[in-house]
Amino acid sequence: MLIREIQQKDNESIAKVIRDIFHELDAPKVGTAYADPILDTLYEVYQAPRSVYYVVENGGKVVGGCGVAPLENGDASVCELQKMYFAPEIRGTGYAEKIIEMCLEFAKTEGFEICYLETLSFMTAAQKLYKRIGFENIDGPMGNTGHNSCEVWMTKKL
C-alpha cells in the first residue's frame, strides 16, 4: 500500500469511498461530509494554500484518505483534519495513524499551532485513534464547517 498526495484522477474514487462509508454506517447524510458540495472535487479543493490531502492506494485502487486545511472561518493558527475515511479492507492496518501523522507534520510546517477535528459520536474507533494520537475533546465546535450533525469536537496542540 502507498500513501500519496491526491491527484485529479482520484476525485471520483475517494468520493465513492467516503459515500460508501456513510451508507455502511447508516450515518447522517445532511450536515456531514457526505453532503459537502466539494466532495467530488477534492483534488481541486486541496490545491489551496496551506492544504493537503493524502490518499491510500492499494493495488492501484484508492481505499482511503485524509486531509488538512485552514479551519473555515477560524483563526489563522488553527487547521482542521478533514475527511478521514477508510474502506473496510484497510481498517486496523495502521494506515489511518500514518496518514494523520503526515497531515499533522504538514500542518506544523505550514505554521499551524492547533489542529481541530469533528466527528460523529458513534464513530468510536476513530475517536480512540484520535485520542491515542493526542487529540482531546472540547465542549463545542470551532469555525464554521457546516457539519452541524457532528457532535464530537477535538483539538491537538501541534
Side-chain angles (χ1 to χ4, degrees):
M1 282 193 274
L2 165 75
I3 298 176
R4 60 171 174 76
E5 285 191 36
I6 192 170
Q7 299 171 7
Q8 192 168 30
K9 67 177 183 171
D10 302 321
N11 278 344
E12 187 177 332
S13 299
I14 191 62
K16 182 174 178 358
V17 167
I18 293 169
R19 287 187 177 110
D20 285 353
I21 291 165
F22 275 83
H23 291 292
E24 169 198 345
L25 300 175
D26 197 26
K29 313 298 186 288
V30 177
T32 63
Y34 187 95
D36 282 354
I38 62 164
L39 192 57
D40 293 303
T41 58
L42 292 186
Y43 168 78
E44 289 79 7
V45 168
Y46 286 93
Q47 299 310 299
R50 303 177 80 201
S51 303
V52 70
Y53 194 89
Y54 297 107
V55 295
V56 178
E57 187 180 288
N58 185 10
K61 178 184 173 191
V62 172
V63 291
C66 183
V68 67
L71 176 62
E72 185 88 20
N73 297 312
D75 185 281
S77 67
V78 181
C79 65
E80 181 186 12
L81 193 71
Q82 301 174 334
K83 296 183 180 42
M84 189 199 75
Y85 294 97
F86 292 90
E89 65 261 29
I90 67 160
R91 293 181 196 152
T93 62
Y95 277 87
E97 190 164 348
K98 288 177 188 174
I99 209 169
I100 292 171
E101 291 297 344
M102 289 174 70
C103 287
L104 297 177
E105 281 304 311
F106 174 85
K108 286 180 199 172
T109 67
E110 291 295 321
F112 291 109
E113 298 171 13
I114 296 171
C115 186
Y116 167 78
L117 67 82
E118 49 195 21
T119 189
L120 297 163
S121 59
F122 65 85
M123 292 185 166
T124 55
Q127 290 173 55
K128 285 180 188 174
L129 172 61
Y130 297 142
K131 286 180 180 174
R132 191 168 68 244
I133 291 171
F135 280 87
E136 297 178 351
N137 291 85
I138 59 173
D139 293 332
M142 296 173 67
N144 183 16
T145 66
H147 295 164
N148 54 14
S149 288
C150 294
E151 63 277 289
V152 175
W153 312 279
M154 303 175 92
T155 59
K156 175 184 170 67
K157 282 190 167 229
L158 300 177

mmCIF file of all heavy atoms in Angstrom, residues 1-5 54-65 85-99 102:
data_model
loop_
_atom_site.group_PDB
_atom_site.id
_atom_site.type_symbol
_atom_site.label_atom_id
_atom_site.label_comp_id
_atom_site.label_asym_id
_atom_site.label_seq_id
_atom_site.Cartn_x
_atom_site.Cartn_y
_atom_site.Cartn_z
ATOM 1 N N MET A 1 0.847 -1.187 0.000
ATOM 2 C CA MET A 1 0.000 0.000 0.000
ATOM 3 C C MET A 1 0.882 1.236 0.000
ATOM 4 O O MET A 1 1.997 1.216 0.515
ATOM 5 C CB MET A 1 -0.941 -0.006 1.202
ATOM 6 C CG MET A 1 -2.122 -0.942 1.001
ATOM 7 S SD MET A 1 -3.441 -0.715 2.184
ATOM 8 C CE MET A 1 -2.882 -1.760 3.503
ATOM 9 N N LEU A 2 0.335 2.284 -0.555
ATOM 10 C CA LEU A 2 1.074 3.515 -0.775
ATOM 11 C C LEU A 2 0.246 4.706 -0.301
ATOM 12 O O LEU A 2 -0.953 4.772 -0.588
ATOM 13 C CB LEU A 2 1.361 3.631 -2.286
ATOM 14 C CG LEU A 2 1.814 4.964 -2.837
ATOM 15 C CD1 LEU A 2 3.274 5.201 -2.466
ATOM 16 C CD2 LEU A 2 1.668 4.957 -4.357
ATOM 17 N N ILE A 3 0.882 5.633 0.420
ATOM 18 C CA ILE A 3 0.237 6.905 0.766
ATOM 19 C C ILE A 3 0.860 7.963 -0.126
ATOM 20 O O ILE A 3 2.083 8.066 -0.216
ATOM 21 C CB ILE A 3 0.452 7.280 2.245
ATOM 22 C CG1 ILE A 3 -0.167 6.222 3.167
ATOM 23 C CG2 ILE A 3 -0.165 8.652 2.533
ATOM 24 C CD1 ILE A 3 0.098 6.476 4.645
ATOM 25 N N ARG A 4 0.010 8.738 -0.782
ATOM 26 C CA ARG A 4 0.499 9.794 -1.676
ATOM 27 C C ARG A 4 -0.502 10.938 -1.696
ATOM 28 O O ARG A 4 -1.642 10.802 -1.251
ATOM 29 C CB ARG A 4 0.701 9.239 -3.081
ATOM 30 C CG ARG A 4 -0.569 8.695 -3.701
ATOM 31 C CD ARG A 4 -0.384 8.358 -5.175
ATOM 32 N NE ARG A 4 -1.551 7.711 -5.744
ATOM 33 C CZ ARG A 4 -2.687 8.324 -6.080
ATOM 34 N NH1 ARG A 4 -2.838 9.623 -5.877
ATOM 35 N NH2 ARG A 4 -3.694 7.638 -6.606
ATOM 36 N N GLU A 5 -0.051 12.081 -2.232
ATOM 37 C CA GLU A 5 -0.958 13.216 -2.369
ATOM 38 C C GLU A 5 -2.021 12.895 -3.415
ATOM 39 O O GLU A 5 -1.769 12.179 -4.383
ATOM 40 C CB GLU A 5 -0.192 14.485 -2.760
ATOM 41 C CG GLU A 5 0.579 15.074 -1.600
ATOM 42 C CD GLU A 5 1.126 16.466 -1.900
ATOM 43 O OE1 GLU A 5 0.450 17.257 -2.598
ATOM 44 O OE2 GLU A 5 2.234 16.749 -1.419
ATOM 45 N N TYR A 54 -4.114 13.456 1.401
ATOM 46 C CA TYR A 54 -3.400 12.231 1.063
ATOM 47 C C TYR A 54 -4.406 11.104 0.847
ATOM 48 O O TYR A 54 -5.426 11.028 1.538
ATOM 49 C CB TYR A 54 -2.450 11.823 2.196
ATOM 50 C CG TYR A 54 -1.362 12.820 2.471
ATOM 51 C CD1 TYR A 54 -1.396 13.615 3.619
ATOM 52 C CD2 TYR A 54 -0.278 12.965 1.605
ATOM 53 C CE1 TYR A 54 -0.393 14.524 3.889
ATOM 54 C CE2 TYR A 54 0.735 13.875 1.868
ATOM 55 C CZ TYR A 54 0.676 14.662 3.023
ATOM 56 O OH TYR A 54 1.672 15.562 3.279
ATOM 57 N N VAL A 55 -4.083 10.222 -0.088
ATOM 58 C CA VAL A 55 -4.888 9.024 -0.294
ATOM 59 C C VAL A 55 -4.020 7.799 -0.044
ATOM 60 O O VAL A 55 -2.798 7.847 -0.168
ATOM 61 C CB VAL A 55 -5.501 8.951 -1.717
ATOM 62 C CG1 VAL A 55 -6.502 10.078 -1.932
ATOM 63 C CG2 VAL A 55 -4.435 8.946 -2.790
ATOM 64 N N VAL A 56 -4.704 6.723 0.326
ATOM 65 C CA VAL A 56 -4.047 5.418 0.435
ATOM 66 C C VAL A 56 -4.467 4.631 -0.792
ATOM 67 O O VAL A 56 -5.665 4.515 -1.090
ATOM 68 C CB VAL A 56 -4.467 4.671 1.720
ATOM 69 C CG1 VAL A 56 -3.794 3.299 1.778
ATOM 70 C CG2 VAL A 56 -4.135 5.482 2.956
ATOM 71 N N GLU A 57 -3.471 4.116 -1.479
ATOM 72 C CA GLU A 57 -3.716 3.336 -2.683
ATOM 73 C C GLU A 57 -3.281 1.896 -2.427
ATOM 74 O O GLU A 57 -2.204 1.656 -1.902
ATOM 75 C CB GLU A 57 -2.898 3.939 -3.833
ATOM 76 C CG GLU A 57 -3.170 3.353 -5.172
ATOM 77 C CD GLU A 57 -2.318 4.014 -6.240
ATOM 78 O OE1 GLU A 57 -2.581 5.177 -6.578
ATOM 79 O OE2 GLU A 57 -1.381 3.350 -6.723
ATOM 80 N N ASN A 58 -4.138 0.965 -2.779
ATOM 81 C CA ASN A 58 -3.847 -0.455 -2.607
ATOM 82 C C ASN A 58 -4.041 -1.140 -3.959
ATOM 83 O O ASN A 58 -5.171 -1.228 -4.440
ATOM 84 C CB ASN A 58 -4.765 -1.066 -1.553
ATOM 85 C CG ASN A 58 -4.428 -2.498 -1.239
ATOM 86 O OD1 ASN A 58 -3.400 -3.023 -1.656
ATOM 87 N ND2 ASN A 58 -5.296 -3.155 -0.497
ATOM 88 N N GLY A 59 -2.958 -1.577 -4.563
ATOM 89 C CA GLY A 59 -3.053 -2.236 -5.857
ATOM 90 C C GLY A 59 -3.658 -1.352 -6.924
ATOM 91 O O GLY A 59 -4.420 -1.818 -7.762
ATOM 92 N N GLY A 60 -3.347 -0.057 -6.873
ATOM 93 C CA GLY A 60 -3.860 0.882 -7.865
ATOM 94 C C GLY A 60 -5.245 1.425 -7.562
ATOM 95 O O GLY A 60 -5.771 2.251 -8.301
ATOM 96 N N LYS A 61 -5.838 0.977 -6.461
ATOM 97 C CA LYS A 61 -7.197 1.412 -6.088
ATOM 98 C C LYS A 61 -7.139 2.302 -4.852
ATOM 99 O O LYS A 61 -6.503 1.953 -3.857
ATOM 100 C CB LYS A 61 -8.052 0.170 -5.802
ATOM 101 C CG LYS A 61 -9.466 0.473 -5.359
ATOM 102 C CD LYS A 61 -10.206 -0.820 -5.010
ATOM 103 C CE LYS A 61 -11.561 -0.512 -4.412
ATOM 104 N NZ LYS A 61 -12.189 -1.690 -3.823
ATOM 105 N N VAL A 62 -7.807 3.459 -4.898
ATOM 106 C CA VAL A 62 -7.877 4.352 -3.743
ATOM 107 C C VAL A 62 -8.827 3.738 -2.723
ATOM 108 O O VAL A 62 -9.980 3.437 -3.035
ATOM 109 C CB VAL A 62 -8.341 5.763 -4.151
ATOM 110 C CG1 VAL A 62 -8.602 6.630 -2.936
ATOM 111 C CG2 VAL A 62 -7.306 6.421 -5.056
ATOM 112 N N VAL A 63 -8.315 3.536 -1.493
ATOM 113 C CA VAL A 63 -9.109 2.876 -0.451
ATOM 114 C C VAL A 63 -9.277 3.727 0.805
ATOM 115 O O VAL A 63 -9.835 3.275 1.794
ATOM 116 C CB VAL A 63 -8.498 1.502 -0.087
ATOM 117 C CG1 VAL A 63 -8.661 0.520 -1.232
ATOM 118 C CG2 VAL A 63 -7.031 1.639 0.306
ATOM 119 N N GLY A 64 -8.797 4.972 0.756
ATOM 120 C CA GLY A 64 -8.959 5.841 1.913
ATOM 121 C C GLY A 64 -8.225 7.143 1.720
ATOM 122 O O GLY A 64 -7.497 7.320 0.727
ATOM 123 N N GLY A 65 -8.430 8.042 2.685
ATOM 124 C CA GLY A 65 -7.745 9.319 2.607
ATOM 125 C C GLY A 65 -7.988 10.183 3.817
ATOM 126 O O GLY A 65 -8.837 9.884 4.664
ATOM 127 N N TYR A 85 -11.384 8.917 5.975
ATOM 128 C CA TYR A 85 -12.260 7.767 5.762
ATOM 129 C C TYR A 85 -11.454 6.651 5.119
ATOM 130 O O TYR A 85 -10.637 6.903 4.227
ATOM 131 C CB TYR A 85 -13.443 8.139 4.848
ATOM 132 C CG TYR A 85 -14.371 9.133 5.493
ATOM 133 C CD1 TYR A 85 -14.258 10.493 5.227
ATOM 134 C CD2 TYR A 85 -15.353 8.709 6.377
ATOM 135 C CE1 TYR A 85 -15.107 11.408 5.829
ATOM 136 C CE2 TYR A 85 -16.197 9.621 6.983
ATOM 137 C CZ TYR A 85 -16.070 10.967 6.705
ATOM 138 O OH TYR A 85 -16.903 11.870 7.311
ATOM 139 N N PHE A 86 -11.717 5.413 5.567
ATOM 140 C CA PHE A 86 -11.004 4.244 5.061
ATOM 141 C C PHE A 86 -11.977 3.111 4.777
ATOM 142 O O PHE A 86 -12.828 2.804 5.601
ATOM 143 C CB PHE A 86 -9.946 3.786 6.076
ATOM 144 C CG PHE A 86 -8.832 4.778 6.208
ATOM 145 C CD1 PHE A 86 -8.901 5.794 7.129
ATOM 146 C CD2 PHE A 86 -7.730 4.709 5.377
ATOM 147 C CE1 PHE A 86 -7.895 6.743 7.231
ATOM 148 C CE2 PHE A 86 -6.713 5.646 5.466
ATOM 149 C CZ PHE A 86 -6.796 6.657 6.389
ATOM 150 N N ALA A 87 -11.808 2.495 3.614
ATOM 151 C CA ALA A 87 -12.629 1.349 3.247
ATOM 152 C C ALA A 87 -12.392 0.223 4.255
ATOM 153 O O ALA A 87 -11.311 0.122 4.848
ATOM 154 C CB ALA A 87 -12.267 0.893 1.832
ATOM 155 N N PRO A 88 -13.387 -0.635 4.464
ATOM 156 C CA PRO A 88 -13.259 -1.695 5.475
ATOM 157 C C PRO A 88 -12.012 -2.564 5.324
ATOM 158 O O PRO A 88 -11.414 -2.962 6.323
ATOM 159 C CB PRO A 88 -14.525 -2.533 5.261
ATOM 160 C CG PRO A 88 -15.508 -1.609 4.634
ATOM 161 C CD PRO A 88 -14.695 -0.638 3.810
ATOM 162 N N GLU A 89 -11.577 -2.807 4.100
ATOM 163 C CA GLU A 89 -10.446 -3.726 3.907
ATOM 164 C C GLU A 89 -9.108 -3.204 4.428
ATOM 165 O O GLU A 89 -8.173 -3.989 4.570
ATOM 166 C CB GLU A 89 -10.313 -4.130 2.429
ATOM 167 C CG GLU A 89 -9.952 -3.003 1.487
ATOM 168 C CD GLU A 89 -11.145 -2.427 0.751
ATOM 169 O OE1 GLU A 89 -12.269 -2.456 1.283
ATOM 170 O OE2 GLU A 89 -10.945 -1.927 -0.368
ATOM 171 N N ILE A 90 -9.010 -1.922 4.739
ATOM 172 C CA ILE A 90 -7.724 -1.459 5.282
ATOM 173 C C ILE A 90 -7.831 -0.925 6.710
ATOM 174 O O ILE A 90 -6.852 -0.459 7.271
ATOM 175 C CB ILE A 90 -7.031 -0.423 4.370
ATOM 176 C CG1 ILE A 90 -7.812 0.889 4.306
ATOM 177 C CG2 ILE A 90 -6.761 -0.999 3.006
ATOM 178 C CD1 ILE A 90 -6.963 2.048 3.847
ATOM 179 N N ARG A 91 -8.991 -1.015 7.294
ATOM 180 C CA ARG A 91 -9.125 -0.581 8.691
ATOM 181 C C ARG A 91 -8.314 -1.520 9.584
ATOM 182 O O ARG A 91 -8.265 -2.726 9.360
ATOM 183 C CB ARG A 91 -10.583 -0.586 9.118
ATOM 184 C CG ARG A 91 -11.381 0.466 8.392
ATOM 185 C CD ARG A 91 -12.826 0.483 8.816
ATOM 186 N NE ARG A 91 -13.605 1.227 7.825
ATOM 187 C CZ ARG A 91 -14.880 1.019 7.579
ATOM 188 N NH1 ARG A 91 -15.550 0.100 8.257
ATOM 189 N NH2 ARG A 91 -15.496 1.733 6.674
ATOM 190 N N GLY A 92 -7.677 -0.948 10.585
ATOM 191 C CA GLY A 92 -6.893 -1.751 11.516
ATOM 192 C C GLY A 92 -5.496 -2.079 11.018
ATOM 193 O O GLY A 92 -4.784 -2.852 11.650
ATOM 194 N N THR A 93 -5.086 -1.483 9.908
ATOM 195 C CA THR A 93 -3.756 -1.779 9.343
ATOM 196 C C THR A 93 -2.695 -0.759 9.750
ATOM 197 O O THR A 93 -1.530 -0.922 9.416
ATOM 198 C CB THR A 93 -3.812 -1.825 7.802
ATOM 199 O OG1 THR A 93 -4.209 -0.540 7.321
ATOM 200 C CG2 THR A 93 -4.769 -2.900 7.320
ATOM 201 N N GLY A 94 -3.099 0.312 10.439
ATOM 202 C CA GLY A 94 -2.152 1.340 10.847
ATOM 203 C C GLY A 94 -2.031 2.492 9.867
ATOM 204 O O GLY A 94 -1.352 3.476 10.146
ATOM 205 N N TYR A 95 -2.690 2.385 8.726
ATOM 206 C CA TYR A 95 -2.576 3.453 7.730
ATOM 207 C C TYR A 95 -3.278 4.732 8.156
ATOM 208 O O TYR A 95 -2.856 5.828 7.782
ATOM 209 C CB TYR A 95 -3.049 2.969 6.354
ATOM 210 C CG TYR A 95 -1.946 2.233 5.656
ATOM 211 C CD1 TYR A 95 -1.750 0.875 5.859
ATOM 212 C CD2 TYR A 95 -1.053 2.906 4.827
ATOM 213 C CE1 TYR A 95 -0.716 0.199 5.253
ATOM 214 C CE2 TYR A 95 -0.008 2.239 4.213
ATOM 215 C CZ TYR A 95 0.158 0.884 4.431
ATOM 216 O OH TYR A 95 1.196 0.217 3.840
ATOM 217 N N ALA A 96 -4.334 4.644 8.930
ATOM 218 C CA ALA A 96 -5.015 5.848 9.410
ATOM 219 C C ALA A 96 -4.063 6.668 10.275
ATOM 220 O O ALA A 96 -3.934 7.878 10.101
ATOM 221 C CB ALA A 96 -6.276 5.480 10.184
ATOM 222 N N GLU A 97 -3.375 6.012 11.202
ATOM 223 C CA GLU A 97 -2.438 6.729 12.057
ATOM 224 C C GLU A 97 -1.307 7.340 11.230
ATOM 225 O O GLU A 97 -0.918 8.484 11.450
ATOM 226 C CB GLU A 97 -1.877 5.792 13.125
ATOM 227 C CG GLU A 97 -1.083 6.530 14.180
ATOM 228 C CD GLU A 97 -0.846 5.703 15.429
ATOM 229 O OE1 GLU A 97 -1.470 4.646 15.606
ATOM 230 O OE2 GLU A 97 -0.027 6.160 16.245
ATOM 231 N N LYS A 98 -0.803 6.595 10.263
ATOM 232 C CA LYS A 98 0.276 7.116 9.408
ATOM 233 C C LYS A 98 -0.163 8.356 8.644
ATOM 234 O O LYS A 98 0.569 9.340 8.566
ATOM 235 C CB LYS A 98 0.737 6.043 8.416
ATOM 236 C CG LYS A 98 1.517 4.919 9.029
ATOM 237 C CD LYS A 98 1.874 3.876 7.972
ATOM 238 C CE LYS A 98 2.490 2.650 8.638
ATOM 239 N NZ LYS A 98 2.714 1.562 7.681
ATOM 240 N N ILE A 99 -1.349 8.302 8.077
ATOM 241 C CA ILE A 99 -1.811 9.409 7.256
ATOM 242 C C ILE A 99 -2.120 10.636 8.120
ATOM 243 O O ILE A 99 -1.854 11.771 7.716
ATOM 244 C CB ILE A 99 -3.022 8.980 6.389
ATOM 245 C CG1 ILE A 99 -3.076 9.776 5.092
ATOM 246 C CG2 ILE A 99 -4.313 9.058 7.130
ATOM 247 C CD1 ILE A 99 -4.077 9.219 4.079
ATOM 248 N N MET A 102 1.134 12.284 8.912
ATOM 249 C CA MET A 102 1.599 13.050 7.753
ATOM 250 C C MET A 102 0.870 14.395 7.665
ATOM 251 O O MET A 102 1.484 15.427 7.387
ATOM 252 C CB MET A 102 1.403 12.246 6.463
ATOM 253 C CG MET A 102 2.341 11.067 6.337
ATOM 254 S SD MET A 102 1.976 10.020 4.903
ATOM 255 C CE MET A 102 2.457 11.098 3.556
#
